[in-house]
Amino acid sequence: MKIGIMGGTFDPIHIGHLLLGEFAYEDFGLHEIWFLPNGNPPHKQQDEDQDALSHRVEMIRRAIKGVPYFKLCLHEAKATEHSYTYKTMRELNALYPEDDFYFILGADSLFSIEEWKYFREIFPTCTILAAMRDDKDVTDMREKILGLEQKYWAKIRILQAPLLEISSTTLRKRAAMGRSIYYMVPDAVAEYIKKYDLYR
Ligand code: ATP
Ligand code: MG
């Protein structure tokens, strides 16, 4: 199987994340998309942070409910130590040797990937599908991709998806101000945030 991995903090998950999953699924003929929320870093082990993690996970669950090819992957959420993408991708390859992995990310992540721990180790484990975001245009993306491919033998493809100026940061701010977040997150997520009074 061809599996897309959509990694992130998802605090909260929003339609930008879901659209990347949907377009990757269709355009690259993937069989499943796994949403992979990162766990809490080691310095964040208090109860409050455990709650935050379970809220992030629960919102993903609700957002992807009923979509048979969208799955929740708790590999990093369940880990007791800090997770790194290179390590997770290695472990997933070892656990599922028959499958091919496609790591989905936005331009901001692609442009900062060289700051990730042992990032060189990521490239042999997957093909990267990179979507445009914010002010990065197709020329910037092509240039960046070419550089990474030449330097590290990375396999990177552009993922064409609608450009959405939505981020979890903006959504947290809007929720904090009591402003509407409907249509930027699935209804079930907006209702969840309201019910638990998150981000206030
Ligand atoms: P935050 O503002 O908290 O950083 P975020 O919206 O960037 O949240 P993350 O969980 O950090 O969400 O992102 C997970 C992945 O999804 C990253 O690779 C990010 O680039 C990508 N992504 C998130 N939102 C968008 C968007 N609107 N367009 C394209 N890519 C996106
Ligand atoms: Mg982000």
Side-chain angles (χ1 to χ4, degrees):
M1 287 208 300
K2 292 159 80 171
I3 295 171
I5 301 289
M6 179 78 223
T9 310
F10 302 112
D11 194 19
I13 188 166
H14 56 69
I15 59 168
H17 301 127
L18 294 160
L19 273 174
L20 292 198
E22 184 74 359
F23 276 73
Y25 173 75
E26 267 207 348
D27 292 356
F28 291 89
L30 307 187
H31 297 94
E32 290 182 354
I33 307 292
W34 296 359
F35 289 82
L36 172 83
N38 52 223
N40 284 333
H43 57 276
K44 278 190 159 192
Q45 292 299 346
Q46 299 89 339
D47 291 350
E48 197 187 318
D49 298 305
Q50 283 312 310
D51 281 0
L53 174 61
S54 61
H55 284 315
R56 291 192 285 117
V57 167
E58 203 46 48
M59 289 188 282
I60 298 171
R61 235 190 262 288
R62 285 160 201 243
I64 66 177
K65 198 174 169 200
V67 185
Y69 49 88
F70 279 0
K71 313 270 183 196
L72 174 62
C73 176
L74 294 175
H75 191 86
E76 294 189 347
K78 279 189 178 153
T80 46
E81 40 193 307
H82 187 73
S83 302
Y84 295 100
T85 300
Y86 83 92
K87 196 159 163 274
T88 298
M89 291 312 295
R90 265 193 199 165
E91 287 163 357
L92 291 179
N93 273 278
L95 284 168
Y96 307 98
E98 310 282 293
D99 297 329
D100 291 325
F101 290 96
Y102 293 74
F103 195 86
I104 302 163
L105 42 67
D108 56 311
S109 305
L110 186 74
F111 277 73
S112 64
I113 200 165
E114 285 165 290
E115 292 152 30
W116 296 11
K117 180 126 170 161
Y118 301 125
F119 70 93
R120 287 179 180 79
E121 309 293 317
I122 297 169
F123 302 128
T125 67
C126 60
T127 300
I128 291 175
L129 305 182
M132 276 179 273
R133 186 179 197 188
D134 303 332
D135 54 342
K136 301 285 187 246
D137 67 14
V138 89
T139 315
D140 302 329
M141 293 285 281
R142 291 225 177 89
E143 203 174 294
K144 184 71 194 176
I145 289 172
L146 205 62
L148 292 171
E149 286 182 332
Q150 286 172 346
K151 268 193 254 173
Y152 313 113
W153 298 90
K155 301 176 290 292
I156 307 173
R157 310 278 305 273
I158 291 184
L159 170 57
Q160 215 82 54
L163 258 186
L164 283 183
E165 234 177 84
I166 294 180
S167 69
S168 302
T169 303
T170 312
L171 289 165
R172 290 193 301 275
K173 284 188 188 149
R174 290 183 67 88
M177 293 187 297
R179 299 193 63 183
S180 169
I181 56 169
Y182 274 94
Y183 312 117
M184 291 181 270
V185 300
D187 288 356
V189 173
E191 273 143 29
Y192 187 93
I193 291 170
K194 217 185 249 175
K195 178 171 173 194
Y196 291 97
D197 208 15
L198 303 185
Y199 313 125
R200 298 290 289 202

